[in-house]
Amino acid sequence: MSDETRPAPDRPGPEPAEIRFFGTTWVHHDGGYGLRRAGVAVGSLALAAAGAVVLRFAFQGLEIAAVGSFLNGLVVACFAVCSAVAFRRTWDRLTRTTDDTASERPADRSAQSLLLIGFIGTLLAYFCRSLVEAPGERVRRAEYEAERERHERRRKARTGNPAAKKATEAKKAKKAKKQRG
């Protein structure tokens, strides 16, 4: 689905964009919104814990291979830094509007491998954000409100029949011309 909002045939005005796992329930906080938020929080935390267990097995494999403490420390530092970067980038994407992050789009594409390695940070960002609201809700709400405001301004500017408006203006001009002359 595109990020643009399009009016539905039965309702005038912009439609809210969907958020993964929430659809459009974030607009009015209905349709099981609270349960969905709890599910996202529990699910992301459980996946982060499962990821940590998998990483622990990988570290045990390094210990069994006896690669040395320097390499073990380097791997731990790599995952810690990648997780911190992934957390920060995900948090920014979930809390900042697209105008703020649009300049960072090429950087996001080039950092995909970094974000993949730091998947635990991404999952923890989802967990923390879902404690407050649906992840990305603030951004979507700001976009939706701005679109609704633009729609209302356009709608108010178009009130009335333009053809009738021109005819009325022409009659007024004709009447003013007769009064002057």
Side-chain angles (χ1 to χ4, degrees):
M1 173 176 241
S2 76
D3 289 336
E4 295 180 44
T5 55
R6 294 187 178 95
D10 58 340
R11 288 192 319 213
E15 288 292 315
E18 293 185 2
I19 296 177
R20 183 181 297 154
F21 305 122
F22 293 90
T24 58
T25 60
W26 60 269
V27 177
H28 300 293
H29 293 191
D30 59 354
Y33 172 81
L35 290 174
R36 290 173 191 231
R37 257 186 55 202
V40 167
V42 169
S44 60
L45 190 60
L47 286 173
V53 168
V54 169
L55 287 179
R56 178 64 187 142
F57 289 142
F59 294 141
Q60 284 178 344
L62 289 175
E63 288 174 4
I64 291 171
V67 293
S69 61
F70 176 73
L71 188 58
N72 281 339
L74 194 62
V75 169
V76 168
C78 171
F79 276 103
V81 168
C82 289
S83 290
V85 169
F87 180 92
R88 182 64 186 176
R89 286 184 181 255
T90 304
W91 188 266
D92 287 346
R93 189 173 46 88
L94 295 175
T95 58
R96 291 187 182 168
T97 60
T98 54
D99 296 337
D100 296 341
T101 59
S103 62
E104 297 177 4
R105 294 277 186 229
D108 283 344
R109 277 187 247 124
S110 67
Q112 283 180 346
S113 58
L114 188 84
L115 297 175
L116 183 62
I117 293 169
F119 68 97
I120 292 178
T122 299
L123 291 169
L124 290 176
Y126 265 90
F127 169 72
C128 292
R129 199 66 208 155
S130 64
L131 294 176
V132 178
E133 65 182 7
E137 180 179 345
R138 179 187 299 173
V139 173
R140 298 286 191 208
R141 190 169 299 282
E143 291 171 353
Y144 179 58
E145 293 298 325
E147 186 66 28
R148 284 182 52 162
E149 185 178 310
R150 281 192 299 271
H151 174 74
E152 285 300 317
R153 277 189 273 142
R154 284 192 311 256
R155 199 169 131 230
K156 286 181 182 177
R158 290 190 313 233
T159 56
N161 183 352
K165 194 181 226 183
K166 286 180 184 177
T168 304
E169 288 173 3
K171 286 180 185 179
K172 285 181 183 178
K174 199 177 211 183
K175 188 177 181 180
K177 189 176 182 181
K178 281 184 182 180
Q179 288 177 352
R180 279 186 271 151

